[in-house]
Amino acid sequence: MATKTSVNICVIPAAGRGSRWAPISGYLPKEMLPLIDKPVIEWVIDEVVASGCNKIIIVINKQKKEIRKYLLRNLKLKNKVKLYFVNQNEPLGIAHAIFLCKNLIKHENFAVALPDLPTIARKPVLKQLIGSHKKINGMANIVSFNSFPSETLHFFSECLAETRKDGLLKIIHFCPKEESGKPHHPGNKIRMSGRYIFNSNIFPLIKKLMSKQHEGELKDTDALKEALTKNHIVLGLEIQGHTYDTGTPAGYVRANTAFFKKKFYKKL
């Protein structure tokens, strides 16, 4: 039975257009790109399962049917976790994808893991967030942070935050993305890294955002900004480990190099 601190459900939003991988993403979902010996998304799912989640909701669209076919054929995975698939017919953003899972999540806490950001860590990254969420009695939404190569910083969201006594980051505000990659706040070297713990009270906030006239995608940061305006607690955790971005060809090469070393040399 779920408690106010338990996190047993994870949403994996995999309905994005994958524009940075065009034209390859036109016939192969970027989540299905091979990372050493299995698709990128399977590495992320393995992390989610190792973190204790037993229910995974994967948001796809009609161009991503290969993801569903592959995962449903994976008997080893099916024996470990319950898989659910939700369709996002239009690319309306991560926050919208999360809202589509509301009826499956109901009033439980839940995690989100982005499928093109696999991680290498001694302790699974999502498990680190779940542990922090438990320590604070489930009283906040939590966002993961990590360091990235300076030339890729513009791909990731920046926050102004201050360190609390317990080591978590109190997020003050979410910064606008700088195309130059320069920090909005000089000296700020960490960025959001694609893992989240949400309380179910995020759903009314997303619904409110959806009811407004909104151009473009509803991003994860849109929902988190709204949470801050409603005085909901939003915290960050600088993870112990490394996050790799397979959403670009250059990042994909970095990831394959790192995961090759992990698999064959057992190094972090």
Side-chain angles (χ1 to χ4, degrees):
M1 184 176 178
T3 68
K4 69 176 183 178
T5 62
S6 62
V7 180
N8 303 313
I9 304 171
C10 184
V11 175
I12 299 181
R17 285 176 284 195
S19 56
R20 292 184 291 171
W21 265 108
I24 291 174
S25 54
Y27 58 87
L28 178 69
K30 66 176 182 176
E31 298 85 0
M32 291 297 295
L33 288 168
L35 183 54
I36 308 303
D37 57 353
K38 55 190 174 186
V40 174
I41 192 171
E42 191 171 351
W43 286 97
V44 174
I45 289 173
D46 286 348
E47 177 197 327
V48 171
V49 173
S51 299
C53 294
N54 54 29
K55 182 176 179 179
I56 298 178
I57 307 168
I58 302 171
V59 183
I60 57 174
N61 58 34
K62 61 183 179 180
Q63 283 79 38
K64 303 290 185 80
K65 291 180 180 179
E66 288 302 317
I67 296 175
R68 187 176 188 275
K69 289 180 182 178
Y70 174 81
L71 294 176
L72 290 180
R73 289 196 301 263
N74 190 324
L75 296 179
K76 183 179 177 181
L77 180 61
K78 286 174 69 177
N79 291 332
K80 293 181 178 179
V81 67
K82 291 183 180 180
L83 293 175
Y84 299 82
F85 295 88
V86 171
N87 286 312
Q88 186 182 34
N89 296 324
E90 298 180 62
L92 296 177
I94 293 174
H96 177 265
I98 290 170
F99 187 80
L100 293 177
C101 304
K102 180 178 181 294
N103 290 339
L104 287 169
I105 296 171
K106 298 179 180 176
H107 300 293
E108 294 188 45
N109 306 312
F110 64 99
V112 174
L114 301 190
D116 56 353
L117 295 173
T119 62
I120 295 177
R122 288 190 175 90
K123 181 178 181 179
V125 168
L126 190 58
K127 193 170 186 176
Q128 295 177 39
L129 266 71
I130 291 173
S132 294
H133 185 259
K134 186 175 182 179
K135 286 179 182 178
I136 58 171
N137 294 315
M139 298 303 292
N141 303 297
I142 303 182
V143 182
S144 69
F145 286 83
N146 208 185
S147 299
F148 295 94
S150 58
E151 67 274 15
T152 69
L153 288 179
H154 60 289
F155 291 133
F156 305 96
S157 296
E158 180 184 358
C159 299
L160 176 63
E162 57 186 28
T163 304
R164 303 186 345 155
K165 290 181 180 179
D166 59 7
L168 291 171
L169 303 171
K170 179 183 177 182
I171 296 177
I172 299 168
H173 72 249
F174 294 87
C175 307
K177 280 192 177 182
E178 299 287 350
E179 292 301 322
S180 65
K182 293 181 180 179
H184 191 74
H185 297 281
N188 191 353
K189 298 180 180 179
I190 61 172
R191 296 291 185 274
M192 292 171 60
S193 61
R195 300 293 185 270
Y196 313 79
I197 305 294
F198 285 105
N199 298 329
S200 61
N201 57 18
I202 199 71
F203 289 125
L205 303 185
I206 298 176
K207 185 176 181 179
K208 180 181 178 182
L209 291 172
M210 290 168 57
S211 69
K212 297 178 180 179
Q213 189 69 25
H214 189 87
E215 294 184 8
E217 299 181 355
L218 264 180
K219 301 185 289 295
D220 48 347
T221 50
D222 293 323
L224 290 165
K225 286 176 185 176
E226 185 69 13
L228 286 179
T229 65
K230 300 303 180 185
N231 295 319
H232 294 194
I233 302 172
V234 182
L235 302 178
L237 174 68
E238 187 171 359
I239 64 160
Q240 299 298 310
H242 302 283
T243 305
Y244 296 90
D245 180 12
T246 62
T248 66
Y252 177 68
V253 171
R254 288 192 190 98
N256 269 280
T257 301
F259 277 76
F260 179 86
K261 291 179 180 178
K262 174 184 184 292
K263 184 172 180 64
F264 294 104
Y265 298 105
K266 307 299 181 183
K267 294 180 180 178
L268 279 177

